[in-house]
Amino acid sequence: MILADKVMTLRKKNGWSQEELAEKLNISRQSVSKWESGASLPDIDKIIALSSLFGVSTDYLLKEELETEQPSETEDVYEAAKERAVSLEEANGFMGLVKKLAGRIAFGAGLCVLSPIPMIVFSGLAEYGADAGVRGAAAISEDMAGGLGMVILLILVAIGVAILILGDMHTEKYRYLEKEKLALQYGVEGIVRKRKEDFAGRYRFCIVAGVTLCIIGVVPLMVAAAFSAGDLAYIYCTAVLLSMVAVAVFLFVWAGSIQGSFDKLLQEGDYTVEEKALHKKTSFFPAVYWCLVTALFLGVGLYTDNWRYTAFIWPVAALLFVAILYIVKEVAKARLEKGD
């Protein structure tokens, strides 16, 4: 049996198409097609890669007289059925793209948090502005405040969501980094780890600053309550709280996106092989959770018309998110262990 027949037989035995085999070897589908038709032969590097990929010896691939598959003699290249090779060019392309998009995605997430502020402020001015002596407040009716505030809210949310969707579409071709077991080619791990170490200081700063902003964002409300401030003061304090949370979200998302690009390549943090299996089971949760929280915030706020207390939904939801996500992951892990 010639090499072309052996490659085709082994490929089909593993249930791969020519395109899938090409992806695992970082070559074009046409190259695989030429190998299997006998139009060309793979070079020595690809012979070694095929040996490791199919779990057979290089002798079996190269010697026509050997008809029986022999175990691979290479142990350090990669196990193709489980691992996907990542080149330096591929890794640099991914890290560069994430760094470019991180600011935009963080801005989109921040806009979604900021979106209720105009409605809260306009409603406060319409209801309490005239009594507080705010110039021009009497001209704002409650219907005008509610309608205009809702229009601005929807516009900001639409812009924020559009930015998030576009960012996700740009990184679609690298989605396999979150799902497959990876094998970084020679020298890639060292470069990625060096970049991660260089970014570590900024990552820690963003996380600490974001948490601090979330905590002190509640302080204006507490001060207003301590001094029995007027209703309009509570409205402004709520707007300040949401603004600080929005900045915190920006820091979390920006730093988390860049840090995540390193962790995905190194298969560390939330992207270990075990976590990738869990992610497939739990990836639905964050989007569903925060959509429900947003709906709850708007629903309670509009129903009670008491935004000063409704704003506390956000910090409470953030704390509950961590606890509920942990439970969801534990349940998913138990199901994976059972083989469900």
Side-chain angles (χ1 to χ4, degrees):
M1 187 185 298
I2 62 173
L3 174 62
D5 294 332
K6 291 177 180 178
V7 172
M8 182 184 299
T9 299
L10 291 168
R11 174 179 62 78
K12 291 181 177 180
K13 182 178 178 180
N14 283 276
W16 300 328
S17 65
Q18 289 185 345
E19 185 173 3
E20 288 172 328
L21 177 58
E23 287 181 359
K24 293 177 184 297
L25 295 171
N26 286 319
I27 58 175
S28 66
R29 186 196 63 78
Q30 288 77 9
S31 295
V32 175
S33 177
K34 288 180 179 179
W35 293 349
E36 293 185 354
S37 66
S40 67
L41 294 174
D43 58 31
I44 188 62
D45 290 338
K46 291 299 183 285
I47 291 292
I48 296 174
L50 287 167
S51 169
S52 179
L53 184 64
F54 293 132
V56 298
S57 68
T58 53
D59 280 351
Y60 170 74
L61 292 173
L62 295 172
K63 295 182 179 179
E64 296 182 12
E65 64 271 19
L66 293 180
E67 300 291 334
T68 304
E69 296 178 19
Q70 297 178 338
S72 172
E73 298 169 355
T74 60
E75 297 179 355
D76 299 325
V77 183
Y78 53 88
E79 199 177 341
K82 299 179 181 179
E83 300 181 355
R84 174 162 177 166
V86 179
S87 66
L88 178 59
E89 181 181 3
E90 211 168 357
N92 282 333
F94 173 64
M95 290 186 290
L97 180 60
V98 170
K99 185 177 180 180
K100 177 182 177 181
L101 295 175
R104 303 179 194 175
I105 294 173
F107 178 71
L111 275 183
C112 293
V113 179
L114 285 172
S115 60
I117 292 179
M119 184 170 63
I120 294 173
V121 173
F122 290 156
S123 297
L125 288 173
E127 188 170 355
Y128 309 114
D131 295 337
V134 178
R135 183 180 301 176
I140 304 176
S141 66
E142 291 189 16
D143 290 340
M144 180 189 299
L148 183 60
M150 183 59 70
V151 168
I152 296 176
L153 182 148
L154 293 175
I155 291 174
L156 292 178
V157 169
I159 294 173
V161 170
I163 292 172
L164 295 175
I165 293 174
L166 287 173
D168 186 67
M169 291 174 63
H170 280 302
T171 58
E172 179 67 31
K173 65 179 180 179
Y174 295 107
R175 191 73 63 226
Y176 67 89
L177 295 173
E178 302 175 8
K179 301 176 181 179
E180 300 183 30
K181 187 177 179 182
L182 308 176
L184 302 183
Q185 292 184 354
Y186 178 77
V188 177
E189 181 177 351
I191 292 174
V192 176
R193 200 167 293 282
K194 178 65 167 58
R195 292 191 182 183
K196 182 178 180 179
E197 291 173 357
D198 292 341
F199 186 71
R202 279 177 287 177
Y203 177 71
R204 287 192 293 268
F205 171 80
C206 288
I207 298 303
V208 172
V211 171
T212 303
L213 286 171
C214 289
I215 294 173
I216 65 175
V218 185
V219 171
L221 282 169
M222 293 182 174
V223 172
F227 288 94
S228 301
D231 291 323
L232 193 58
Y234 282 107
I235 298 294
Y236 290 147
C237 289
T238 301
V240 171
L241 169 62
L242 289 178
S243 298
M244 297 180 78
V245 171
V247 175
V249 167
F250 178 92
L251 294 174
F252 290 150
V253 174
W254 179 79
S257 297
I258 297 176
Q259 179 77 3
S261 69
F262 305 137
D263 287 342
K264 287 176 185 178
L265 290 167
L266 297 173
Q267 299 185 107
E268 296 178 346
D270 293 331
Y271 300 97
T272 62
V273 176
E274 294 77 12
E275 287 293 330
K276 286 179 181 180
L278 280 177
H279 179 71
K280 293 179 181 179
K281 297 283 186 179
T282 62
S283 58
F284 71 93
F285 175 73
V288 172
Y289 180 85
W290 289 112
C291 283
L292 290 175
V293 170
T294 302
L296 178 64
F297 171 76
L298 295 175
V300 173
L302 292 171
Y303 180 76
T304 63
D305 199 25
N306 195 336
W307 296 99
R308 76 182 75 163
Y309 294 116
T310 306
F312 283 98
I313 288 176
W314 291 105
V316 172
L319 292 174
L320 288 176
F321 175 76
V322 178
I324 298 175
L325 180 59
Y326 174 80
I327 295 172
V328 170
K329 284 189 173 182
E330 288 301 311
V331 172
K333 187 183 296 183
R335 295 187 64 182
L336 282 173
E337 290 175 353
K338 290 181 181 179
D340 294 345

